[in-house]
Amino acid sequence: MQLPINPTKMSYDYSKILEWLLKVGTEHLGKNFEIPENEKTIILSMLAWFLEDELLAKEMNIDLKKGIMLSGPIGCGKTTLFQLMRKLPKGRKNFMMASTRQIVSEFMQSGYEILEKYSRGSLYNDYRTPKNYCFDDLGSESASKYFGNDCNVMSEILLTRYDIFKEKGIITHLTTNLTAGEIETIYGNRLRSRMREMFNLFGYDEGSGDKRR
C-alpha cells in the first residue's frame, strides 16, 4: 500500500485533518506527537477508512467493508493510533477496544461465556447485539486452560466473528506484532485464511522506533 503518486480526488482536506491529529495526539500522549515520513501512508490509510473516503480508499486499494489489522514492532504506536481514530469528530469511531490479555484473563475467571461476550455479544433478554471491536496486541495472550480444557480463546472468538462479518458485516480490528507465519502457527491456517477476507492489512516498517521510550 502506497501514497497515491498522481493527484487524486479526496473527500476531505487531509492537510487540515493531519494538523488536528497532531494536536489531539499531543494532548492524548502528554508529549509531542509526530508523524514520521515513513508512517504517512499508514496514517492516511487509517483516516481514509475511518472517514469512509471512498475516493481515496479506491485509489489506495482499501476495502471499506473490511476491518483493519495493524501490524508492527512493539511500541511503534499501533494502539495509540486506534485510540486517536476514536477521537475523530465524525466517521466510524463506534468500536470498543479490548486487550487480548484482558480477554483471556476474563475467560480464566468466567469461562466460555466470555467467548460469546466478545463475539456474538452478551445475552440480554434473549437478544444479542454484536459490537465492533478492536482486539489489541493479538499474540500477547498466553495459552489458557479452563477446568483443564485447552482453548485458544482468540482463535475461537475471531472464527465466530468471521461468521458474523459474513452474515451481518460486523467489523473487527486487530493490532499485532506477529508475522503472518506466526499467526498461522499460533492460531491455525483456517483462521489465517479467513483473516484475508476480514481485514485490510496496514503495517509499520520493522525499523519503526519504540515511541514509548
Side-chain angles (χ1 to χ4, degrees):
M1 185 178 300
Q2 297 179 342
L3 289 168
I5 298 174
N6 300 315
T8 184
K9 292 182 179 180
M10 301 179 182
S11 302
Y12 300 92
D13 184 342
Y14 282 93
S15 62
K16 291 183 179 179
I17 295 174
L18 288 174
E19 287 179 10
W20 170 87
L21 188 64
L22 290 171
K23 178 177 180 293
V24 172
T26 298
E27 292 172 352
H28 177 76
L29 294 174
K31 62 180 181 180
N32 193 38
F33 177 71
E34 299 178 345
I35 302 174
E37 190 66 32
N38 66 344
E39 296 179 8
K40 286 185 176 179
T41 302
I42 291 175
I43 300 295
L44 193 59
S45 300
M46 293 284 284
L47 288 170
W49 191 94
F50 277 97
L51 293 171
E52 295 185 272
D53 187 340
E54 294 182 1
L55 297 174
L56 184 57
K58 182 178 180 181
E59 187 73 19
M60 298 185 74
N61 196 29
I62 298 169
D63 189 335
L64 296 177
K65 294 181 180 179
K66 296 182 179 181
I68 295 168
M69 182 163 67
L70 184 58
S71 65
I74 294 171
C76 67
K78 302 181 294 294
T79 302
T80 296
L81 190 51
F82 268 106
Q83 290 170 338
L84 293 180
M85 292 300 106
R86 296 180 73 191
K87 295 179 182 291
L88 284 167
K90 60 180 179 178
R92 310 163 88 178
K93 57 183 181 179
N94 61 331
F95 65 95
M96 308 289 288
M97 292 194 71
S99 76
T100 58
R101 292 182 68 184
Q102 168 200 326
I103 292 169
V104 169
S105 177
E106 290 181 33
F107 175 83
M108 296 291 288
Q109 294 178 27
S110 303
Y112 287 90
E113 67 183 70
I114 298 303
L115 303 185
E116 292 293 297
K117 173 183 175 182
Y118 289 103
S119 54
R120 300 187 185 279
S122 298
L123 187 61
Y124 179 72
N125 290 338
D126 297 323
Y127 182 72
R128 295 186 191 276
T129 305
K131 296 179 180 179
N132 295 336
Y133 268 104
C134 174
F135 296 126
D136 192 28
D137 211 6
L138 182 73
S140 66
E141 76 280 4
S142 58
S144 59
K145 289 187 177 182
Y146 182 69
F147 289 119
N149 295 317
D150 290 319
C151 178
N152 193 323
V153 174
M154 291 310 304
S155 179
E156 293 299 323
I157 289 173
L158 289 169
L159 285 170
T160 301
R161 289 190 67 87
Y162 167 81
D163 294 335
I164 298 170
F165 165 70
K166 298 296 286 185
E167 294 169 9
K168 301 180 179 180
I170 299 297
I171 293 293
T172 304
H173 304 301
L174 294 175
T175 73
T176 186
N177 60 9
L178 298 177
T179 65
E182 289 170 336
I183 288 174
E184 182 169 342
T185 298
I186 296 171
Y187 303 101
N189 181 62
R190 183 169 169 233
L191 178 58
R192 182 185 172 189
S193 175
R194 282 155 175 74
M195 281 181 165
R196 298 188 185 100
E197 295 183 59
M198 292 176 70
F199 301 110
N200 296 283
L201 178 59
F202 301 163
Y204 285 89
D205 294 335
E206 283 302 314
S208 295
D210 189 339
K211 298 181 177 64
R212 295 180 293 193
R213 294 177 180 174

